[in-house]
Amino acid sequence: MSKLPELFGSMVFNENVMRERLPKETFKALKKTMDEGTPLDEGVANIVANAMKDWAVEKGVTHFTHWFQPMTGITAEKHDSFITPIGRGNIIMEFSGKELVKGEPDGSSFPSGGIRATCEARGYTAWDPTSPAFIKDGSLCIPTAFCSYGGEALDKKTPLLRSMDAIDKQAKRILKLFGKDIKRVTTTVGPEQEYFLIDKKLWEKRKDLIFTGRTLFGAKPPKAQELEDHYFGTIKPRVSAFMKELDEELWKLGILAKTKHNEVAPCQHEMAPIFTTTNIAADGNQLTMEMMKKVADRHGLVCLLHEKPFAYVNGSGKHNNWSLSTDKGENLLEPGSTPEENAQFLLILTAIIKGIDEYQDLLRVSVATAGNDHRLGANEAPPAIISMFLGDELEAILDSIKEGKPFDRKAKEVLQLGVDALPAFPKDNTDRNRTSPFAFTGNKFEFRSLGSSLSISCPNIMLNTIVAEEFRQFADVLENSKDFNKDLNNLIKSTLKKHSRIIFNGNGYSEEWIEEAKKRGLLNLKTTSDAMPLFLEEKNISLFKQHGVYTKTEMKARYDIQMEEYCKVLCVEAKTMVTMAQKEILPAVMDFLQATSYSATCLKNYNPNFKCLAQETLLSKTTTLCDNLVLNIEKLENSLSKSKESLDLTEEAKFYTNHVIPAMEELRITVEELETLVGEKYWPFPTYGDLLFRI
């Protein structure tokens, strides 16, 4: 590890490798494409492809693959070897610019929302030169976009790149108002990744974890996270070994893995990278999730990325730290030492406030999944109500602008810790709010609503496009201004008066906030089936068409894919519950009842005067619950059969929300009560106590 600089990026065809292996003019042309998004000449592509191949072959690579991100939420790859026959049983290793730039995977076998029929198989992958190629599992992986034969985006990367172009275009208009000539504005992201690690041998004994990624049954253990002794605690040796290898694997791939620690729940952990350009961050996060699972397996562990693998303890999220930077290194969300005097920052901040208020539905849609519905609203996950946290200082500045009063800046407070040897340090201008969905944290916004298994592409598509639209509107007003300062002040003031309802610095978990949010007119979209229909509202279709991010066809396809996935996930979970209850839990309970009744019979045969209160009480409680178990199984099965009666996806999703999920919950409650009564040796699979504490 003493040679970490040499290890970092060693499996990436990065700028250093390009500069070393490409002719100067070729590197210059490719760099321009990477930095400014300009088209790449075919001749340049041929030279790049050959250099990539030579570099990869030297590292023992035999195959290449177009690595893309279909609407499954995970990545896809089809591998082809470099070999080309040259006659007489001989081969050479070749890789052309054509193979680099374009691939042709099956376009109908991935979720398409009806864009592709089964009989219409052709789809295309197109090289994304702004994201570097890398080596994984002995193949050269080329990050690509994925589209249909008709050109519609079938992936998450294409609209993400479009949204980055949109915000670049509009942000440059804003900066030009302040006399700045900028070549490129990029969004940057640092996605913190939470996850659980459990023992693989225990995982293998639970069908729910195998089929769904979460526990569908589980009584609360005697100890969970009440003592708050896991968060930032000493990392166990087995987990530490996993983290060490994970870091090394990620560093090889050029992923800036920076922070690792224990999270709040038992066997929960977090990894956080350093900020990078959004599309590269999205690629890196997909690789991170894949690598977490692979490395865990090598350590006899299983990495759970589900948002709520265990009831009664924290779920797992993915905090999307989002910011804006110019090619000259300026962070556009840096307030400076006197933000009240920083007109550029205040205008950009106001635009974001307006956007989050007007398109709060889209932010909720961007994190809507069956798994995340379990998580939002408690245990450090923000509520389903979208709001913004700015902190006391910024809110006071904005209030002074709205009211037309001077801002009263207080001297920065210095914290004294009361021990001479400890340093005094300036207190931050604001505390952190762990319950806020969209919180300003100094020079970035932290969107905390993302679920741990989610691709970060969709939330960032939404953020980029929303802010691009607000920049467009502001630029349209100010570019024609005859008195810039006056119009700028009026624009900021009037916008804040209209949209400040979205700002909330208080406790997002409180009942008072739910009532207050309702009075403010903010949306409370508790489930995916509540949120998703808003995606297709006319204002949202218009937004994405305006900036060339989605067509109406692409939006309808994504709606259908999301709703269908929601129904399928819940269907798999419900079927798994029925299977486990019928084939594992019910037989185990009956065995326990038989043993208990046999014990009572033996004792009474020995002495008829024995009351056998323990056995009688257990038999009474357990028999009643066993009867309820059978009834709950039947109720869930009936709900499942009725779920398919609707031919409309929206209605089917609502049926799952309103009928199947409650039936699942009733079955779960009954099983949890049985788990507390049935003897441990009879219970058919590992309990929460086993799963959470045996690593």
Side-chain angles (χ1 to χ4, degrees), residues 106 136 151 268 282 349 361 519 641 688:
D106 191 327
K136 177 174 71 74
Q268 187 187 32
L349 178 63
D361 54 342
K519 290 178 184 176
S641 63
Y688 272 18

Side-chain angles (χ1 to χ4, degrees), residues 160-168 184 187 277-279 464:
L160 178 61
L161 294 172
R162 292 171 181 170
S163 73
M164 292 172 68
D165 283 346
I167 198 169
D168 166 59
R184 186 79 177 170
T187 55
T277 309
T278 303
N279 64 311
N464 293 347

Side-chain angles (χ1 to χ4, degrees), residues 392-645:
D392 296 337
E393 182 184 49
L394 278 184
E395 188 171 29
I397 291 170
L398 299 184
D399 285 343
S400 71
I401 293 172
K402 283 190 296 180
E403 296 166 9
K405 298 178 180 177
F407 173 65
D408 181 19
R409 170 168 290 282
K410 297 176 182 177
K412 188 177 281 288
E413 183 180 348
V414 176
L415 286 178
Q416 302 285 349
L417 299 182
V419 178
D420 291 342
L422 296 179
F425 52 85
K427 183 179 179 180
D428 287 319
N429 291 325
T430 180
D431 200 350
R432 288 187 177 181
N433 190 326
R434 308 297 287 177
T435 71
S436 176
F438 198 72
F440 188 73
T441 54
N443 60 2
K444 64 187 184 299
F445 277 99
E446 184 179 28
F447 187 22
R448 296 175 52 84
S449 299
L450 285 71
S452 50
S453 66
L454 192 73
S455 162
I456 67 169
S457 291
C458 187
N460 286 291
I461 290 166
M462 303 294 192
L463 278 172
N464 293 347
T465 311
I466 289 167
V467 176
E469 170 60 15
E470 304 307 337
F471 285 171
R472 182 192 70 80
Q473 292 182 24
F474 280 13
D476 285 349
V477 171
L478 295 174
E479 282 173 344
N480 299 314
S481 172
K482 291 185 170 55
D483 187 337
F484 179 76
N485 287 334
K486 180 181 177 182
D487 290 343
L488 173 67
N489 290 332
N490 288 340
L491 177 61
I492 292 174
K493 184 175 181 178
S494 62
T495 302
L496 290 174
K497 283 185 175 181
K498 189 174 181 181
H499 295 284
S500 289
R501 65 174 184 170
I502 200 72
I503 300 170
F504 177 65
N505 288 349
N507 179 8
Y509 293 164
S510 68
E511 291 296 322
E512 292 80 8
W513 168 233
I514 294 174
E515 290 303 313
E516 172 65 22
K518 187 176 180 180
K519 290 178 184 176
R520 295 187 187 191
L522 302 182
L523 298 170
N524 186 5
L525 305 169
K526 295 181 180 180
T527 69
T528 295
S529 61
D530 294 330
M532 281 305 301
L534 300 184
F535 182 56
L536 295 180
E537 286 199 345
E538 189 54 44
K539 75 176 180 70
N540 295 333
I541 293 172
S542 176
L543 169 73
F544 290 113
K545 285 176 65 179
Q546 165 89 19
H547 294 279
V549 174
Y550 288 129
T551 64
K552 186 175 182 178
T553 300
E554 289 170 339
M555 290 183 69
K556 179 62 168 61
R558 276 155 177 75
Y559 174 81
D560 287 349
I561 290 167
Q562 289 289 101
M563 291 298 258
E564 186 176 9
E565 180 185 313
Y566 176 76
C567 295
K568 285 180 176 178
V569 166
L570 291 172
C571 183
V572 170
E573 290 185 350
K575 286 180 176 179
T576 303
M577 289 188 88
V578 168
T579 299
M580 292 176 71
Q582 284 181 332
K583 295 187 176 182
E584 297 183 80
I585 297 166
L586 190 56
V589 173
M590 292 169 70
D591 286 346
F592 175 72
L593 284 171
Q594 184 181 33
T596 306
S597 61
Y598 179 72
S599 169
T601 301
C602 288
L603 286 170
K604 287 193 175 183
N605 286 340
Y606 178 75
N607 186 340
N609 294 321
F610 285 171
K611 293 183 179 180
C612 299
L613 286 175
Q615 289 90 337
E616 294 291 343
T617 303
L618 269 177
L619 284 169
S620 176
K621 289 182 178 179
T622 308
T623 301
T624 301
L625 287 170
C626 191
D627 291 341
N628 289 340
L629 177 63
V630 174
L631 293 173
N632 290 151
I633 292 171
E634 184 179 354
K635 183 176 180 180
L636 181 52
E637 287 182 310
N638 289 337
S639 294
L640 272 176
S641 63
K642 290 179 182 177
S643 69
K644 297 301 178 185
E645 292 177 2

